[in-house]
Amino acid sequence: MSEKGTSVVIVGGGVTGLSAAWWLARSGVEVTVVEKGIVGFEASGRNGGGCTHYQSPLFHEEQRLWPEMDELLGYPTEYQRGRIIFQVDPRKERFHEGLSLRLPKGYDWEVLIPDDVRALVPLAGDNVVSGVRFHFGGHANPQRTAQAYAWAAQDLGVKILQHTAVRGITAAGGRVTGIETAGGTIGCDALVVAAGPQTGKLMAMLGIDLPMAPARAEMIVTEPLPMMPFTGVDGNGLYGRQTLRGNLAYGGGPHEWFDDVGLEDAPPKPSGSVTRSLARRVAELLPKAAHARVIRSWAGVVENTPDGRPVIERLSAPDNVTVATMSSVGFGLSPASGHAIRDLVIDGACSFADLSKLSLKRFDGLRGDWRVHLNWLPPEPVGAVAAGA
Amino acid sequence: MSQVTLPPPDRASIAGKFLPPQEHVPLIVVGAGTAGCAAAIEAAKAGVSVMLVDENPVSAGLVGMNVPLYFGGRATNAVQTPERLVERVLEANPALAEAFELGVDVRLSTSVWGAWVKGPGLNHLGAGLAGLADEEKSWMVGFDRLIVAAGARDLNFTFAGSDQPGVMGAQGFHTLLAGYDAFAGRRLAIVGSGDLALQTAETALAAGLDVAALVEVRDAPQGPANRVAALAEKGVAIVTGHVPLEARGNAEGVAGLVVVDRGDADRRQEIACDTVVMAVGAVPVIELLDVLGARREMAPGRGGHVPMSDEGGATSLEAVFVAGDCARLGQDAAASGRRAARAALASLGKASSVPAAARDASGPAETNGQPEGDGLAYQLDWARAMLATGGEEVLACICEDVTRGDLLGVKPPRYLGWRSNAIARRDLVTLAGDGPVNQDQIKRLTRACMGPCQARRCREQVALMMAIGAGEPAESVPLAGYRAPVRPLPLSVLADWQESAEMDEGWNVWFGIATQWIGYEDIGTTREAEQLAAGMPY
């Protein structure tokens, strides 16, 4: 495949697809992104903004790229380096021991005693039991970053078609030749599918089974508070951050599985039902912020594969298709996932990481009732009236 | 055979985490204004247990935040002791006494900050659920039917100096003056000249306040000529063809309003006043309905974005009904409240006690804040003239310090201090080139409408500014969605301190999928099995 004049269609205007578009365009590839709604409007722009994913084969590239992203993109991402995690539940006092088993070598981190935590996190209280500080990782602003990818890609000539849903995929001679939309067919030499919860349905159009299940998760945000010296702070069962505006934005806790989400419509994203349990945990984590007023909540819809791990793969048949689902953990890894997709599309292999364990092949022979087996099902309604009430 | 290592079955999902609410009532009515009281009384007369919830009197903290209305820092110290205001609120609203007598469970100083019904994404809900809160705590109440009679709030246009005490909305003014007897101003300049502005002026004069002027962007007053003439006779200046340019102030806030000829920025005059009341229009309060997911439409003749509803107030949601100004500005609120109650009762299989005709014939129609005939065109006249005369440095969003220019240029917030050629080339026009502009997108990029007043002072004017900047019809700008909590609530108040044991035991920071967090190198090795056996790291 020649680098010049190649036409790649990317289905999905979330951070993974947009990053891939930007990376491909940096290599001179002609790219069209097709997005059913607005760029970054689903989970890509509705998450905790974390950039610390040491479980991933893309971790090293994630850590290498984030400090450079503002400059590379030419638009702000609000990336801030570092992460403090601390606990207020005495049962979790030694949580760093479990962490130490999992953190890759070569990354600097330390255990913090409660006084250290309070010095860096003035909103923390007397209930701190222990903490850790990572001198790597960090957080960024999801919506601003998603738009930054889109604008930076456009600056390199990428065409972004918003409000354009994919209705079919055309193939001939064992290769994909284009996609069908309401506005007509768009031909391509190569196809990238990075469409979040809709990725499975799109792969099904090619007769390929990519098992995934969609679910909704929630976050809350407070009014702005004075900036803490360190903003990448979470723990107590929460993920989140203090934004550069000063708001506390936190998520965590129960998710609700959907049966299915539509291919063309934005999935429903009601929020507020987990709000009170989130508020409690934020007030426990940061007791000196307990007076802060919650001014919003939001929900996002993400997909998970049966083992919760991504699929990032250039298919063998049709061999001009690359598929990527990040299995609910895509935002922070997006600088690296886009690079990986670029490599797969252009070179057929990722230049900086082994991705072989993220192949779709691992699901061959997966039990048909896997969602039932894993209890990944929409909940039954609870009773209407409290007993005795 | 599958090679995949599957995680243990999910214990972290929402299933089984929530206890049924401690309280459950057949009918909750939100808002104890004319429509809400009428609905509650109608239902109570039919023998149905009703909970009538109203946030008034609101706490001094919320008054200071301009929630739920634009109070504009012109409240007296009386709002520091809301418990003393209760009596005043009851006096101002005789229907509340009738509701009490009929056994309606009236909850004052209580807000409804969210409401949910079973539907896509909320399959775990049985009956409807409403989130209530007072100053100390929040709690949930189950319902079979909900009538939203949340009324209207103020349509606001900002101008230079309008972020100081003394600039307020007509609804906020009316609540402070008539509802709380706690209005601190003496001399008013009123912006607008339609029905709402005339009512505001008449109310103010009747209360012994001075009204210096009505300011109108168009060449003629918008309200009935006889009422305008009556105000002029009492010394109220009628200043047409002008818009506010700047509020001059001192330590106490507003001391004067400079208005400017809409076609000639050099023609200005200053109106001495301590209060500027924005009375150009009102906005239906649809926030709970949007959180509920009721379908809505842009209907300028009904006040803008309003729920789709039938004559009886039925919405797209089986359990939810609307009444009063939040359904249609200026309709006969009492009659619409009674209709909604009857429709809600009928949907529960209960009949009302009195024939419809006997009740709906009585009572004066309420015409508070009726939208102008040409709807958004009138609002656009104001927005255009104020942009043209006041310029781009004026704040469009006070809470978040976003100017009109920031909005038109889709600039990142100022605290980022971001400058680049790339971003300088972006604006609303380029954004519109990528697809219709969307206010939720603009919120996230500029932060306009993201502040603690929950966009009560800027939501509509930001949408109008977007339409102007992008060259698109104002009707086409999608509503920036409302999200719970629709009142700003402290973490400690909102927190559920009595959640279920299942919630605590099943709480996970993300999905609790153990295989998701195994280091890549460890996948397929003995270390994977060891880590899975040890459980999640934290």
Side-chain angles (χ1 to χ4, degrees):
Chain A
M1 190 182 294
S2 123
E3 283 200 13
K4 291 281 176 200
T6 303
S7 173
V8 177
V9 164
I10 298 177
V11 182
V15 283
T16 306
L18 291 170
S19 174
W22 174 70
W23 275 99
L24 284 163
R26 292 176 83 205
S27 295
V29 177
E30 182 194 343
V31 180
T32 298
V33 176
V34 181
E35 162 56 43
K36 71 177 177 359
I38 296 175
V39 291
F41 241 46
E42 296 295 340
S44 289
R46 297 169 171 270
N47 57 75
C51 309
T52 319
H53 300 101
Y54 41 81
Q55 80 285 358
S56 172
L58 304 174
F59 173 63
H60 304 299
E61 185 70 353
E62 175 192 50
Q63 297 309 307
R64 182 181 78 81
L65 285 167
W66 267 113
E68 303 172 15
M69 289 308 285
D70 277 6
E71 197 180 332
L72 289 173
L73 294 170
Y75 298 91
T77 65
E78 301 188 27
Y79 170 73
Q80 301 288 298
R81 190 182 191 119
R83 175 63 72 183
I84 287 176
I85 306 165
F86 71 93
Q87 303 297 350
V88 297
D89 180 344
R91 291 172 298 181
K92 295 182 180 169
E93 190 182 348
R94 305 185 74 77
F95 79 106
H96 62 271
E97 292 174 359
L99 263 183
S100 68
L101 294 173
R102 294 167 186 249
L103 290 172
K105 300 278 181 287
Y107 290 89
D108 191 17
W109 68 283
E110 71 231 16
V111 177
L112 300 179
I113 62 169
D115 279 342
D116 294 341
V117 172
R118 282 185 286 269
L120 289 161
V121 186
L123 296 174
D126 296 337
N127 56 347
V128 178
V129 295
S130 71
V132 297
R133 178 177 184 178
F134 298 165
H135 297 275
F136 58 91
H139 61 91
N141 178 326
Q143 178 59 31
R144 207 171 296 292
T145 302
Q147 191 70 57
Y149 282 126
W151 280 343
Q154 283 182 328
D155 290 346
L156 295 174
V158 171
K159 204 165 152 189
I160 299 177
L161 302 177
Q162 298 187 127
H163 306 288
T164 304
V166 174
R167 295 183 171 170
I169 299 175
T170 57
R175 291 172 64 84
V176 163
T177 55
I179 58 161
E180 292 166 0
T181 74
T185 300
I186 303 171
C188 61
D189 297 332
L191 176 68
V192 174
V193 181
Q198 283 81 19
T199 304
K201 279 194 158 68
L202 289 159
M203 296 310 287
M205 292 177 182
L206 294 169
I208 291 167
D209 184 26
L210 170 48
M212 56 171 54
R216 177 183 68 84
E218 291 192 26
M219 296 188 72
I220 60 172
V221 62
T222 70
E223 64 188 319
L225 295 171
M227 292 304 294
M228 296 192 287
F230 198 93
T231 52
V233 175
D234 57 22
N236 197 35
L238 301 167
Y239 60 89
R241 63 193 176 113
Q242 182 176 37
T243 70
L244 293 189
R245 172 70 174 101
N247 315 77
L248 303 177
Y250 285 97
H255 48 274
E256 179 158 340
W257 294 106
F258 290 84
D259 265 330
D260 198 7
V261 292
L263 185 60
E264 302 199 10
D265 303 319
K269 291 174 283 288
S271 70
S273 62
V274 182
T275 295
R276 298 179 70 226
S277 292
L278 282 168
R280 173 192 182 138
R281 281 164 181 76
V282 179
E284 288 170 346
L285 182 75
L286 303 171
K288 289 176 184 167
H291 66 284
R293 291 178 186 266
V294 178
I295 57 175
R296 267 189 302 285
S297 64
W298 72 86
V301 176
V302 290
E303 78 281 12
N304 268 298
T305 66
D307 58 4
R309 294 170 185 161
V311 173
I312 310 175
E313 183 175 19
R314 167 103 170 249
L315 302 181
S316 49
D319 74 353
N320 63 340
V321 174
T322 301
V323 60
T325 163
M326 297 305 291
S327 194
S328 79
V329 186
F331 172 75
L333 290 165
S334 62
S337 61
H339 188 184
I341 292 167
R342 174 239 168 256
D343 289 355
L344 290 169
V345 171
I346 294 178
D347 307 319
C350 179
S351 62
F352 58 89
D354 165 42
L355 302 177
S356 59
K357 296 177 190 172
L358 302 183
S359 164
L360 200 45
K361 277 198 303 289
R362 68 186 189 270
F363 299 122
D364 287 351
L366 176 73
R367 54 193 298 166
D369 65 345
W370 65 274
R371 285 193 65 173
V372 176
H373 173 73
L374 294 179
N375 197 26
W376 289 14
L377 301 171
E380 294 300 319
V382 295
V385 184
Chain B
M1 190 59 207
S2 172
Q3 302 158 8
V4 67
T5 305
L6 292 177
D10 187 10
R11 292 176 59 247
S13 83
I14 211 161
K17 298 285 190 298
F18 286 101
L19 301 168
Q22 293 292 308
E23 283 185 280
H24 183 96
V25 291
L27 177 63
I28 297 178
V29 179
V30 182
T34 308
C37 282
I41 289 166
E42 181 83 10
K45 282 179 178 168
V48 171
S49 296
V50 186
M51 180 184 287
L52 175 61
V53 190
D54 194 284
E55 61 197 323
N56 291 292
V58 300
S59 70
L62 288 178
V63 171
M65 294 176 76
N66 295 299
V67 176
L69 300 172
Y70 191 6
F71 296 113
R74 274 290 177 261
T76 66
N77 282 338
V79 299
Q80 298 293 337
T81 48
E83 55 278 11
R84 288 196 197 162
L85 286 183
V86 169
E87 214 169 302
R88 173 68 203 172
V89 165
L90 291 172
E91 276 170 32
N93 186 357
L96 265 178
E98 187 183 354
F100 270 119
E101 280 163 25
L102 286 166
V104 173
D105 180 3
V106 180
R107 309 283 181 101
L108 297 180
S109 291
T110 304
S111 63
V112 181
W113 51 268
W116 304 269
V117 292
K118 180 177 156 66
L122 287 174
N123 208 54
H124 71 282
L125 291 182
L129 201 59
L132 276 61
D134 58 22
E135 278 294 280
E136 263 83 52
K137 63 186 183 304
S138 67
W139 67 100
M140 306 300 255
V141 179
F143 61 82
D144 296 324
R145 293 294 180 268
L146 179 74
I147 296 177
V148 180
R153 59 177 173 78
D154 298 297
L155 174 69
N156 186 40
F157 295 92
T158 46
F159 44 92
S162 71
D163 53 339
Q164 63 188 321
V167 182
M168 67 190 311
Q171 312 287 329
F173 169 75
H174 184 79
T175 296
L176 285 184
L177 184 75
Y180 295 178
D181 193 15
F183 175 63
R186 290 293 318 156
R187 185 173 165 84
L188 279 48
I190 296 172
V191 180
S193 70
D195 188 63
L196 179 64
L198 296 178
Q199 269 193 34
T200 303
E202 290 156 1
T203 305
L205 289 172
L209 302 169
D210 294 332
V211 178
L214 296 188
V215 181
E216 169 57 45
V217 66
R218 289 188 172 171
D219 291 333
Q222 300 297 295
N226 59 332
R227 288 169 69 194
V228 176
L231 290 174
E233 272 172 35
K234 289 178 182 164
V236 178
I238 312 295
V239 184
T240 57
H242 281 64
V243 293
L245 181 71
E246 181 185 4
R248 297 248 166 92
N250 56 33
E252 277 83 48
V254 171
L257 177 67
V258 180
V259 297
V260 59
D261 187 303
R262 70 158 200 268
D264 182 355
D266 292 331
R267 293 184 59 187
R268 316 172 167 192
Q269 50 183 294
E270 180 160 351
I271 300 163
C273 60
D274 58 32
T275 304
V276 178
V277 181
M278 301 303 297
V280 170
V283 181
V285 175
I286 62 162
E287 47 207 14
L288 274 180
L289 295 154
D290 202 33
V291 168
L292 278 155
R295 284 168 65 185
R296 53 177 157 70
E297 59 189 330
M298 165 46 93
R302 288 162 64 195
H305 294 283
V306 287
M308 296 175 78
S309 61
D310 68 10
E311 269 301 294
T315 68
S316 63
L317 304 171
E318 185 186 11
V320 180
F321 296 78
V322 286
D325 279 342
C326 69
R328 174 192 288 272
L329 285 184
Q331 69 173 324
D332 181 338
S336 84
R338 288 189 294 266
R339 282 196 303 270
R342 286 198 297 275
L345 297 189
S347 75
L348 288 171
K350 294 180 198 291
S352 189
S353 56
V354 196
R359 293 157 313 213
D360 286 351
S362 64
E366 200 174 2
T367 56
N368 183 25
Q370 193 142 28
E372 297 302 323
D374 51 5
L376 294 185
Y378 182 57
Q379 298 181 15
L380 270 171
D381 283 353
W382 285 94
R384 282 212 177 86
M386 292 178 79
L387 176 61
T389 55
E392 297 194 359
E393 286 307 304
V394 171
L395 291 179
C397 170
I398 295 171
C399 293
E400 295 293 310
D401 202 23
V402 181
T403 67
R404 294 169 180 165
D406 294 338
L407 196 60
L408 295 169
V410 195
K411 294 289 169 277
R414 292 171 175 223
Y415 57 82
L416 292 182
W418 184 271
R419 295 282 180 275
S420 71
N421 291 334
I423 206 116
R425 289 193 295 270
R426 301 284 171 179
D427 61 17
L428 271 174
V429 175
T430 66
L431 202 65
D434 297 333
V437 292
N438 182 296
Q439 194 169 351
D440 272 323
Q441 187 179 26
I442 287 299
K443 266 174 78 170
R444 299 172 196 186
L445 295 177
T446 68
R447 293 199 65 87
C449 302
M450 295 280 262
C453 88
Q454 298 181 316
R456 288 180 171 82
R457 294 178 292 180
C458 67
R459 188 183 290 264
E460 292 72 31
Q461 68 169 342
V462 165
L464 293 168
M465 209 67 69
M466 287 173 57
I468 292 169
E472 295 181 6
E475 288 82 356
S476 74
V477 178
L479 177 78
Y482 291 90
R483 261 82 61 64
V486 299
R487 296 292 177 273
L489 293 175
L491 284 165
S492 58
V493 169
L494 188 57
D496 184 358
W497 300 105
Q498 269 123 31
E499 63 185 27
S500 68
E502 288 79 5
M503 179 69 81
D504 184 50
E505 287 157 15
W507 186 278
N508 194 275
V509 65
W510 192 225
F511 277 68
I513 303 172
T515 46
Q516 184 160 42
W517 306 103
I518 302 296
Y520 184 78
E521 300 297 327
D522 295 341
I523 294 174
T525 71
T526 53
R527 276 174 57 87
E528 177 174 25
E530 285 165 21
Q531 290 172 64
L532 289 176
M536 302 285 287
Y538 62 88

